[in-house]
Amino acid sequence: MHTEIETKCVRDGWNPKSGEPRQLPIIQSTTFPYATSDDMGKLFDLEAEGYFYTRLQNPTNDAVAAKICALEGGAAAMLTSSGQAANFYAVFNICENGGHFIASSSIYGGTYNLFGVTMKKMGIECTFVDQTLPLEELEKYIKPNTKCIFGETITNPTVNVLDFEKFAALAHSHGLPLIVDNTFATPINCRPFEYGADIVTHSTTKYMDGHGVSVGGCIVDSGNFDFAAHADKFPGLTTPDDSYHGITYTEKFGKGAYITKATAQLMRDFGSIQSPQNAFYINLGLESLHIRMQRHCENALAVARYLKENEKVAWVHYPDLEDDENHVLAQKYLKNGSCGVLAFALKGGREKSIKFMDSLHFASIATHVADSKTCLLHPASHTHRQLTEEQLAEAGIPADLIRLSVGIENAKDIIADIEQALNNI
Ligand SMILES: *Cc1c(COP(=O)(O)O)cnc(C)c1O
């Protein structure tokens, strides 16, 4: 449809026909009635397409999923109630009881817990790996029952950049799909399918919403991974589903197989749906995503440079800094800039960090990142406090790390606030 990403942000998804609402309508209805019993029956057999109950699909949600799908360059997509639900469904759709998968140890704390603790109780084993290891080392973790590889484009909160080429090689040489959480980069700054990822997930709660008003998630499938070619590994997609009169997803839905299964089975049974009202907010956020990402990156770079020069600052990590350890990867995969999040630490440890955070005027302490207002967090005492010292070290999260999410205020004001707080310690 539209070739340029900025136009897709504004125009894709909802395409009103003559006389229809120009803005995306919020279809606030649980149900969709049909004239005949036969019409309805076909929907339940997945023989016909159509809406019948919002737990499975809703037109507002589908329009927003279609926009995100277009932004990522995917084949099919679905919204979920949260980023957590998106990551759970993305893996569980192909990795069940008895299965194993590999994830980078630097991923978001909530996902780490989901994979390492909760999914373990379901009989699914996750091996966390240091994502900087060479390919030969990473390959040693692959097992006969491994089903997928998982990473984040830019890790939260350590802002490390995924080496797509290495991870795609790891996955594809073993007949496995690569799943990438693209929350921090957004499709404005990185489209993981262009670098070999097969499935992308998002916490739309972050930049996509962009204003901190609604929790949500999204899964996009590129349609590129050939599940049928590795049929023995993915029986859920390649053998008949008894709960739908024996249809086989890969045969019936082709490139839509993965998302259709996630909708028809997981959404049906777990029900982590997005609300149409929240989908509407996500859509508003998406319309300005391209402009906001640019400003987030400009501001974050200005703040990173300022912090780097300040003698009270111990270290700064931001992939767009020329001397950052991730800069080479950022130049390769994040040509337009990375994101608005950076990590840094103050000299003098925890005590000084807390004094600093408490001295800020408008940069607030919030368990959030990636919205218009600058905020910050100390993972070791907030988001990651459930991790042991060992797990913190394994996830590469220094106890002194402060995660700063730079907003789209004027950079001068953001730096002035940081400066007065630094002067106060
Ligand atoms: C926030 C976040 C999640 C979880 O998303 P929710 O919408 O809070 O459930 C997953 N991955 C990353 C990278 C995140 O930043």
Side-chain angles (χ1 to χ4, degrees):
M1 249 187 304
H2 310 108
T3 56
E4 303 303 319
I5 196 133
E6 295 81 359
T7 313
K8 290 180 189 191
C9 281
V10 182
R11 290 284 176 168
D12 267 59
W14 170 243
N15 295 298
K17 296 186 199 74
S18 186
E20 284 187 343
R22 184 156 169 257
Q23 311 309 342
L24 173 67
I26 303 169
I27 308 293
Q28 194 71 38
S29 180
T30 55
T31 15
F32 303 82
Y34 286 87
T36 72
S37 167
D38 191 44
D39 289 346
M40 190 69 151
K42 283 196 181 114
L43 298 175
F44 275 94
D45 285 347
L46 302 182
E47 285 299 330
E49 269 188 56
Y51 296 100
F52 53 97
Y53 191 53
T54 284
R55 168 148 46 77
L56 281 104
Q57 278 184 288
N58 170 283
T60 308
N61 293 356
D62 282 358
V64 178
K67 178 178 279 189
I68 298 172
C69 189
L71 292 174
E72 288 288 4
M78 68 195 284
L79 296 190
T80 58
S81 56
S82 65
Q84 286 297 106
N87 283 330
F88 171 57
Y89 283 18
V91 174
F92 191 67
N93 201 32
I94 48 173
C95 184
E96 299 178 2
N97 186 357
H100 166 258
F101 69 107
I102 292 173
S104 160
S105 60
S106 315
I107 55 174
Y108 170 66
T111 315
Y112 190 97
N113 205 62
L114 166 70
F115 290 173
V117 180
T118 299
M119 288 180 76
K120 194 173 176 181
K121 293 178 191 161
M122 307 169 96
I124 297 164
E125 186 198 0
C126 178
T127 304
F128 294 103
V129 297
D130 172 353
Q131 66 179 32
T132 63
L133 287 175
L135 185 57
E136 315 81 77
E137 290 298 314
L138 291 170
E139 282 189 309
K140 293 180 184 159
Y141 296 101
I142 305 251
K143 300 182 184 194
N145 61 340
T146 305
K147 306 290 182 184
C148 62
I149 312 285
F150 185 99
E152 289 174 1
T153 303
I154 304 170
T155 59
N156 176 1
T158 44
V159 288
N160 289 315
V161 180
L162 187 73
D163 186 339
F164 281 94
E165 204 174 300
K166 182 174 74 181
F167 270 71
L170 174 69
H172 297 158
S173 61
H174 294 88
L176 305 169
L178 173 62
I179 305 177
V180 174
D181 181 331
N182 196 31
T183 298
F184 270 20
T186 82
I188 302 304
N189 285 345
C190 182
R191 286 176 296 281
F193 298 153
E194 293 172 6
Y195 303 119
D198 301 288
I199 292 150
V200 158
T201 61
H202 283 281
S203 165
T204 61
T205 317
K206 313 295 163 56
Y207 290 116
M208 286 191 171
D209 168 305
H211 303 79
V213 297
S214 63
V215 174
C218 184
I219 309 173
V220 188
D221 179 18
S222 64
N224 294 337
F225 189 81
D226 190 352
F227 289 101
H230 307 280
D232 53 325
K233 273 202 185 77
F234 306 104
L237 280 158
T238 60
T239 60
D241 178 358
D242 290 339
S243 70
Y244 281 108
H245 304 308
I247 61 160
T248 298
Y249 292 98
T250 45
E251 280 171 15
K252 195 161 170 67
F253 299 104
K255 284 184 184 291
Y258 174 89
I259 291 294
T260 304
K261 178 179 181 286
T263 303
Q265 284 183 348
L266 304 186
M267 207 50 105
R268 179 195 62 189
D269 298 345
F270 292 112
S272 318
I273 50 157
Q274 185 51 282
S275 75
Q277 180 81 42
N278 277 359
F280 175 85
Y281 295 133
I282 298 167
N283 187 58
L284 279 186
L286 288 169
E287 288 194 10
S288 61
L289 183 65
H290 53 299
I291 301 173
R292 290 186 289 106
M293 285 313 289
Q294 201 180 340
R295 178 58 63 87
H296 277 294
C297 291
E298 283 166 18
N299 282 357
L301 186 58
V303 171
R305 288 201 170 122
Y306 168 81
L307 288 171
K308 192 107 197 171
E309 295 302 312
N310 193 294
E311 57 182 19
K312 292 184 177 168
V313 174
W315 53 262
V316 184
H317 283 315
Y318 183 61
D320 299 1
L321 284 173
E322 291 75 9
D323 56 354
D324 193 79
E325 58 189 15
N326 282 274
H327 193 60
V328 174
L329 287 171
Q331 279 182 311
K332 188 167 172 187
Y333 301 116
L334 298 155
K335 295 188 180 75
N336 300 333
S338 56
C339 63
V341 182
L342 57 87
F344 73 101
L346 298 175
K347 291 176 186 158
R350 212 178 181 111
E351 204 183 312
K352 294 265 188 222
S353 301
I354 288 167
K355 184 95 200 288
F356 166 75
M357 291 191 285
D358 291 349
S359 305
L360 290 161
H361 291 322
F362 76 80
S364 47
I365 301 173
T367 317
H368 202 244
V369 275
D371 69 25
S372 55
K373 300 180 180 77
T374 298
C375 64
L376 80 175
L377 187 100
H378 181 226
S381 31
H382 306 140
T383 44
H384 288 61
R385 63 185 301 140
Q386 75 278 16
L387 299 192
T388 63
E389 288 290 317
E390 266 173 10
Q391 285 172 324
L392 265 184
E394 194 184 306
I397 300 171
D400 59 350
L401 180 150
I402 296 172
R403 180 183 73 182
L404 178 63
S405 175
V406 180
I408 54 175
E409 304 95 339
N410 189 302
K412 279 187 209 155
D413 284 331
I414 302 170
I415 291 170
D417 193 22
I418 292 171
E419 186 158 62
Q420 65 76 25
L422 285 173
N423 290 340
N424 203 31
I425 62 175

